[in-house]
Amino acid sequence: MKRSGDPLDALLAQVPQHIALARDLWPQIEAQIAAEVPGAHVSLPARRWFQLAAAVVLVVASSLVKFLLVQRSMQQQIVQARNEVVQRMQPVLSAMPVRFDGHESVGMSYETVRAQLDAEYAQHIGHLPPLVRARVERDIADLRRSAREISATLAMYPSDSLLQDLLVSTYQREIRLMSAVNTMAASTAAGTDL
Amino acid sequence: MFANSPASVAAGAADAASISDARLVAAARDGDTRAFERLYRLYSGRVFGLCLRMTRQREIAEDCVQQTFVKSWRNLAAFEGRSAFGTWLHRIAVNEVLTHARNHGTRSEGVSLPLRDEDEDALDTAADANDAADGADVMDVEKALATLPAGSRHVVVLQAVYGYSHEEVAEMLGIAVGTCKAQLHRGRKLLRERLGLQELDS
């Protein structure tokens, strides 16, 4: 001890560090450690951390792969839906009246495709949100009223090319709007958003 | 030429002990429970002395000794040999005592408790092992130590009895070095009062 002249230090220096145990604790200690490898508890947390890290990497990797696959699938669905719209629009637009000899001639294929689109539109319009539905129905009604009025005027002036273009344009807008509604309803059902 | 001087003999004995410890630890690390039992036989008395003085209750001290050796076995791979094996055991033991006190609320900071008879017997036996003339004095010191508040007692025991530095004691107990010094000063003052010694610290 540093304070050799201090009687307290002298007394404390006499206190034995060793005190004999009244009973042998080794049997209990041996029983507890018998099944354990020394150091196993040291490496266990490290191993757990490694397992946790591996699990996290696995989850992240699988989530990333799934995300990429879903995204690719969604993009394919969007492209497919757009192609379908274009394909469906093509015969309709090509069947549009090009000549008006007193009465506009819209052609049979136009009437057929339009009737089919109209049936699908009637079926899908109910699935749209109320505000969107009201807006679409108002626009369709406006387009149809305009087409009737233009058609009536065209009966009086059959050679007016401006009225002819206007009528074709009105029919096209009606077809596009109905197709858009049908496509939107289909993509909503598929979980995609156009 | 200097091989037989007292200093070189003591240093040689310490080296031999550490080499022996290192071998036993290495063997125990490889799963040799006999080697670990030898370490237990070598160090259990020292660990028990520390635990008994810190807890003042033999049953708790024995539990702490048992858990100290079980945990040291489990953590043998973490023992790098930078300190002596006995010091490493003491760190585990102190941690065990403090954990036990936290879990069981037995920490009696500021409360002076006398030793129970059976615990006094254990210390008596240790005191008797010293010279007969000093035995009575040692027992008085043990009793005075036991009446110290826990904070001061832990510091005095670790520093004055087991010879650890302020820094080592502070680290073992998880307190600041300044707190450690203050607790030592307080403990020594109380010990002087209870042993009827004159103040020399100032």
Side-chain angles (χ1 to χ4, degrees):
Chain A
M1 296 284 161
K2 280 188 292 182
R3 307 172 200 218
S4 54
D6 189 333
L8 178 60
D9 288 332
L11 282 172
L12 286 168
Q14 292 173 20
V15 173
Q17 295 183 348
H18 179 285
I19 297 179
L21 280 153
R23 62 191 179 94
D24 188 5
L25 300 176
W26 177 248
Q28 291 98 307
I29 294 169
E30 189 178 27
Q32 273 191 270
I33 68 174
E36 296 178 14
V37 177
H41 284 70
V42 174
S43 58
L44 192 60
R47 204 159 57 218
R48 272 193 191 146
W49 277 115
F50 179 76
Q51 288 170 343
L52 271 175
V56 168
V57 168
L58 190 66
V59 167
V60 169
S62 62
S63 301
L64 189 65
V65 168
K66 190 176 178 184
F67 171 75
L68 290 174
L69 286 175
V70 167
Q71 197 182 33
R72 178 181 287 185
S73 168
M74 284 173 67
Q75 284 174 343
Q76 283 175 345
Q77 285 179 4
I78 290 167
V79 170
Q80 194 178 349
R82 281 179 181 158
N83 288 340
E84 282 176 11
V85 170
V86 170
Q87 281 175 357
R88 293 173 71 176
M89 292 281 292
Q90 201 56 43
V92 178
L93 297 176
S94 63
M96 282 293 177
V98 291
R99 290 188 307 119
F100 295 86
D101 300 325
H103 298 284
E104 78 275 22
S105 171
V106 291
M108 285 302 292
S109 62
Y110 167 78
E111 290 291 356
T112 308
V113 174
R114 185 184 176 283
Q116 190 184 339
L117 274 176
D118 197 26
E120 286 180 28
Y121 164 78
Q123 189 182 345
H124 290 143
I125 189 70
H127 299 302
L128 293 180
L131 284 174
V132 178
R133 178 183 176 179
R135 175 81 184 270
V136 169
E137 285 177 336
R138 194 180 64 223
D139 288 351
I140 286 283
D142 287 346
L143 286 169
R144 287 176 179 171
R145 190 179 62 248
S146 299
R148 281 196 303 274
E149 289 173 357
I150 294 166
S151 190
T153 311
L154 199 60
M156 292 186 284
Y157 308 98
S159 58
D160 190 325
S161 59
L162 185 63
L163 285 173
Q164 289 173 12
D165 290 345
L166 198 58
L167 184 62
V168 170
S169 169
T170 307
Y171 282 144
Q172 285 178 341
R173 287 174 64 189
E174 184 197 12
I175 294 293
R176 283 199 186 99
L177 188 54
M178 286 195 295
S179 296
V181 168
N182 296 341
T183 307
M184 192 188 301
S187 59
T188 304
T192 60
D193 187 9
L194 291 177
Chain B
M1 180 163 69
F2 299 103
N4 292 329
S5 69
S8 64
V9 168
D15 285 348
S18 66
I19 290 168
S20 172
D21 282 358
R23 283 182 182 161
L24 289 171
V25 169
R29 201 180 279 157
D30 288 339
D32 184 347
T33 52
R34 283 174 176 269
F36 192 66
E37 183 183 359
R38 285 194 62 189
L39 288 167
Y40 163 79
R41 302 285 171 211
L42 282 170
Y43 288 102
S44 59
R46 249 183 121 228
V47 173
F48 179 60
L50 176 63
C51 292
L52 182 60
R53 290 181 178 115
M54 286 184 77
T55 63
R56 295 178 301 186
Q57 293 184 51
R58 193 173 57 191
E59 294 84 0
I60 296 172
E62 286 176 350
D63 281 350
C64 291
V65 171
Q66 186 171 325
Q67 286 313 306
T68 297
F69 279 93
V70 169
K71 286 185 178 172
S72 67
W73 170 266
R74 289 173 178 168
N75 292 283
L76 271 176
F79 175 63
E80 296 169 346
R82 282 186 293 193
S83 62
F85 183 69
T87 303
W88 186 65
L89 276 179
H90 270 178
R91 288 180 198 280
I92 298 173
V94 169
N95 194 47
E96 202 56 42
V97 169
L98 296 179
T99 302
H100 188 280
R102 269 197 301 272
N103 292 343
H104 297 84
T106 53
R107 191 178 174 113
S108 50
E109 193 75 50
V111 179
S112 298
L113 290 175
L115 278 171
R116 296 183 307 177
D117 287 345
E118 59 267 33
D119 304 326
E120 203 170 310
D121 289 344
L123 294 170
D124 252 338
T125 310
D128 290 345
N130 277 15
D131 293 343
D134 297 333
D137 288 342
V138 170
M139 198 55 223
D140 289 342
V141 176
E142 293 280 17
K143 284 178 181 173
L145 271 174
T147 61
L148 293 180
S152 300
R153 190 177 67 255
H154 293 171
V155 173
V156 171
V157 166
L158 283 166
Q159 197 152 37
V161 179
Y162 288 92
Y164 291 110
S165 67
H166 284 302
E167 289 74 19
E168 286 173 321
V169 174
E171 190 196 337
M172 283 180 179
L173 295 174
I175 58 176
V177 174
T179 308
C180 178
K181 288 178 180 175
Q183 291 282 22
L184 182 68
H185 181 75
R186 182 186 178 203
R188 289 176 66 87
K189 190 177 179 188
L190 288 170
L191 278 179
R192 283 183 201 289
E193 288 172 9
R194 285 161 198 183
L195 291 167
L197 298 172
Q198 285 188 336
E199 179 68 56
L200 291 181
D201 279 352
S202 58

